[in-house]
Amino acid sequence: MTNSKILPKLIASCLCFTVLSSLTAQANPLPTTVPAIAQAETAAPTDNIDQKLLGQWEATDPSGQSFSFIFAPEGKLYLVVQPPQGAARAKEMRYKVDAKNQPMHLDVGLSATQTVMTVFELTAEGLMRLQLQGTKPGDPRPSVVNAQATVFKKISDTAALPENTQVIGF
């Protein structure tokens, strides 16, 4: 299956609609190649939830395509798609967590003017359940993490992009 067929299926499954469409809409982007994003040595998050989120989380959409969120220091978030052939593509975003609420709030800045407000929870098994379905910029925040939440498994504590990833900036 080609990258052009896989990405639309992923787009339809989550808030990644806006993000991934920007990845595929740029047929000839001038990508920035990034070997890795090192974890900040001096600005480590003080909040325990922020520390738990740092790293790479992987999920699979209903079509079977996997994608990752990489939570990096300083509120950076990357949506990473690895096509079967070629370099991985990543969309740089921003994130902000409010752990005072239950479920916890997550604001994802897709651009300087578009923010998706959603909710998430961390399970006792170490998984993250993130409410992606039914969210888009400008919509109110969901009040619950429902049965259709996307389940992410943490696969790395390192907030590094795959080597030679094409990054589309914030």
Side-chain angles (χ1 to χ4, degrees):
M1 189 174 288
T2 66
N3 191 30
S4 63
K5 291 181 182 177
I6 293 170
L7 289 177
K9 289 181 182 179
L10 181 58
I11 289 169
S13 70
C14 66
L15 79 85
C16 305
F17 177 81
T18 304
V19 176
L20 289 174
S21 62
S22 71
L23 287 174
T24 58
Q26 296 187 15
N28 296 312
L30 297 174
T32 304
T33 300
V34 178
I37 299 171
Q39 288 188 319
E41 295 176 15
T42 58
T46 56
D47 183 48
N48 192 30
I49 296 300
D50 286 335
Q51 190 64 39
K52 285 181 180 180
L53 286 177
L54 283 181
Q56 186 171 354
W57 295 79
E58 187 173 74
T60 303
D61 76 359
S63 75
Q65 172 67 34
S66 24
F67 63 100
S68 299
F69 278 155
I70 298 176
F71 289 86
E74 301 175 8
K76 290 184 180 179
L77 174 63
Y78 296 88
L79 169 66
V80 180
V81 177
Q82 177 71 56
Q85 297 176 354
R89 290 185 165 191
K91 168 66 177 163
E92 181 181 335
M93 302 176 284
R94 300 286 185 257
Y95 78 95
K96 181 178 166 188
V97 173
D98 182 352
K100 295 176 208 151
N101 296 292
Q102 290 301 321
M104 291 179 277
H105 291 186
L106 177 67
D107 293 346
V108 179
L110 304 178
S111 69
T113 60
Q114 292 187 313
T115 299
V116 173
M117 298 184 306
T118 192
V119 292
F120 75 101
E121 62 188 12
L122 298 175
T123 70
E125 297 82 22
L127 302 174
M128 176 175 52
R129 295 185 66 237
L130 179 59
Q131 189 63 45
L132 296 175
Q133 185 178 20
T135 62
K136 64 182 181 187
D139 280 358
R141 184 183 314 279
S143 58
V144 297
V145 179
N146 67 29
Q148 288 80 37
T150 303
V151 178
F152 287 82
K153 180 180 180 181
K154 192 168 193 179
I155 60 172
S156 173
D157 287 328
T158 304
L161 291 172
E163 192 171 327
N164 298 320
T165 298
Q166 297 176 345
V167 178
I168 297 173
F170 181 69

